[in-house]
Amino acid sequence: IYGLGCTVVIEDLNTKNQCFLQGHTNNVVCITVSNSGKYIASGQITHMGYKADIMLWDYVTKQCVSTFSLHKVKVQSLAFSPNEKYLASLGGQDDGCVVIWSLTKMEPICGSPAQHKSAGITECLVYSNTNDDVFVTAGENTLRVWELDVENRKIRPTECSLGAIKRSIKCITISKDDSVFFCGTSSGDILGVNMKSCLLSCIGPEKETFSLGVLSIIRLINGDLIVGAGDGTICQVKVVEKKEGNKIMPKIVKTSNSCMLVGGVSSITLRGQGHQFYAGTEKSHIYRFSLGDFKSELINTAHYSAVNDIVYPNNCPKLFVTCSFQDVRVFHSDSQKELLRINIPNMTCYTCDIFKDGTAIITGWDDSKIRAFYPETGALMYTINDAHKKGVTAIAATSDCRKVVSGGGEGQVRVWRIEECKVSQANTIPHSHGNRKKSNVKSVVYVAHMETAMKEHANAVSCIRMNKDDTQCVSSSADGTCIIWCLIKYTRKQIMFANTLFRCVC
């Protein structure tokens, strides 16, 4: 179960069948599942000044049971009580409150500010494993154990004493018997706190802290921790007892079970007794781990930014190409797997198309370049520099694969003729008799010539489509016009106006 944009996805691990829970009006930022698996709760982010919804879903019927709206702008974190009596919710930076909801009456019981006025943002919340009346919240210079008094409709916090240590806590996990809880911090270390006394019991690892902070943490049945860091490291950590003088002190020690993933590890969850666990990253990858050998397997991936364009190859419905921030990807429809990824760091790909004969993927980028790639390897075929001002926002290829029509952010539609040039390169090959033999190796170089620039649109060209015989093309624009162009005389044939921003044309 994972959030993808405004949707909560339930995916069968064996059959890959997906079910979508839809109802949120903006991105889902937190999800939790009750202990029995009866309920799923999801919280969203929304626009400044509006209330963010919490949606309670029935897992069996896949229907929304109730919607809770109290928090402003963002729901930071959610947690069910162990016996599913209550749902605790934490608001984001603009809200700063923790609220307890009754799951029998489907109404709020009580709420309270989550931190002192002098403390920073509270970022995480986790419920006790045995007690419906106890939960923990933590954040920037704040760590509290709360107790719920249902009769008086109050929640009362107890501040945890960390001494001189000041930390910004990102995640919490509680031991099965509720004796101790562990907190991952933005400094890259882990704090162990006694649940009853609310006192710090241990801090570690002492020397090798986790790079870019600990973003997610979960405790195994044997007492070990699985820790996910901001640099993509996922590691098994042991809590061992060592003697210091007359006292036996717990120590947090890294093990050799460690792995590097793509993107910061934003969530970890156990399967069954913890023989397997799953890790989700900020780059929209989901990995499956086996605890025995600690090897990762990528089971799901998606774009982590807006998908700007999708195109199918000619007469090939099983493959499609998508483009987004930093990358172009080729997907296989039947297996739902990613086959190829072309990565251009820190650039956004606005548009893509595929030659009819399948020899190239052509793409338009925000650095004003048109790039063509080989579809089998993803290697760069050729680049057209300075194709448009303000980025290449639309692109289409003719069926003979010799011309490319592109649209730019400045509103121009340009036609490019692509020519192949074979260049001879003299290579010296060693001969068996000792003397060297020269041979001419011919390599293909592509040259692009601009045939014309058609200037009628007053805003960015959003889409271009060709007709069957390549004699005409139609372009849509954010200026509220669609223009049909003659590609023989390079003149405007027809124009359509509407009071809208055109995004696509067909």
Side-chain angles (χ1 to χ4, degrees), residues 82-120:
N83 299 313
E84 299 176 7
K85 285 184 180 178
Y86 313 116
L87 172 68
S89 64
L90 174 67
Q93 182 176 359
D94 302 277
D95 183 82
C97 289
V98 61
V99 178
I100 304 296
W101 305 84
S102 168
L103 295 181
T104 50
K105 296 180 180 178
M106 297 296 175
E107 63 181 25
I109 298 171
C110 54
S112 170
Q115 66 276 322
H116 278 303
K117 288 183 179 178
S118 59

Side-chain angles (χ1 to χ4, degrees), residues 193-269:
V193 182
N194 188 294
M195 190 84 161
K196 289 178 182 174
S197 66
C198 296
L199 295 174
L200 183 70
S201 61
C202 60
I203 181 169
E206 288 180 354
K207 294 177 182 176
E208 300 176 4
T209 56
F210 291 94
S211 181
L212 301 181
V214 177
L215 301 187
S216 52
I217 188 168
I218 200 159
R219 190 153 199 205
L220 301 170
I221 292 170
N222 65 2
D224 290 359
L225 302 169
I226 303 292
V227 175
D231 66 343
T233 302
I234 191 160
C235 181
Q236 187 172 351
V237 173
K238 283 192 177 294
V239 183
V240 295
E241 292 188 341
K242 287 189 177 180
K243 197 169 184 180
E244 287 188 2
N246 297 326
K247 289 184 178 180
I248 295 174
M249 300 290 289
K251 292 275 183 184
I252 297 167
V253 182
K254 279 186 180 182
T255 68
S256 58
N257 283 347
S258 181
C259 187
M260 200 75 175
L261 308 181
V262 178
V265 184
S266 52
S267 60
I268 304 170
T269 187

Side-chain angles (χ1 to χ4, degrees), residues 252-453:
I252 297 167
V253 182
K254 279 186 180 182
T255 68
S256 58
N257 283 347
S258 181
C259 187
M260 200 75 175
L261 308 181
V262 178
V265 184
S266 52
S267 60
I268 304 170
T269 187
L270 301 179
R271 184 182 185 190
Q273 299 298 308
H275 63 288
Q276 274 187 348
F277 65 91
Y278 289 76
T281 74
E282 291 173 340
K283 294 289 177 76
S284 292
H285 288 57
I286 299 175
Y287 295 88
R288 176 166 52 209
F289 280 82
S290 173
L291 193 61
D293 55 10
F294 216 80
K295 286 186 177 174
S296 65
E297 177 195 357
L298 180 64
I299 61 163
N300 238 331
T301 180
H303 287 288
Y304 56 94
S305 188
V307 179
N308 295 324
D309 203 358
I310 299 176
V311 62
Y312 279 89
N314 190 37
N315 298 325
C316 184
K318 290 189 176 182
L319 298 175
F320 61 93
V321 178
T322 61
C323 65
S324 180
F325 172 64
Q326 291 200 134
D327 50 38
V328 177
R329 305 189 190 191
V330 180
F331 288 97
H332 187 245
S333 304
D334 293 352
S335 65
Q336 300 174 17
K337 295 281 186 185
E338 181 188 304
L339 302 180
L340 177 71
R341 185 181 304 184
I342 301 162
N343 192 264
I344 307 287
N346 303 319
M347 299 294 169
T348 301
C349 184
Y350 287 138
T351 179
C352 60
D353 199 9
I354 303 167
F355 281 171
K356 282 282 195 298
D357 57 5
T359 54
I361 299 169
I362 51 167
T363 55
W365 297 77
D366 64 345
D367 61 349
S368 299
K369 292 182 181 180
I370 295 172
R371 292 179 173 93
F373 301 95
Y374 291 100
E376 297 89 356
T377 61
L380 185 66
M381 201 174 188
Y382 58 84
T383 303
I384 304 173
N385 294 312
D386 302 317
H388 285 274
K389 293 177 184 175
K390 300 182 183 178
V392 182
T393 54
I395 204 160
T398 58
S399 54
D400 62 3
C401 307
R402 291 181 180 176
K403 289 182 182 178
V404 171
V405 183
S406 64
E410 82 288 356
Q412 289 190 20
V413 176
R414 294 181 174 181
V415 181
W416 306 86
R417 189 174 77 256
I418 312 297
E419 292 180 353
E420 285 185 19
C421 298
K422 290 186 179 177
V423 180
S424 296
Q425 292 179 335
N427 278 13
T428 307
I429 302 168
H431 201 263
S432 57
H433 297 296
N435 57 337
R436 292 179 172 263
K437 184 181 172 185
K438 287 190 175 180
S439 73
N440 287 331
V441 178
K442 289 189 177 180
S443 63
V444 178
V445 176
Y446 293 91
V447 180
H449 302 281
M450 189 177 79
E451 294 209 329
T452 188

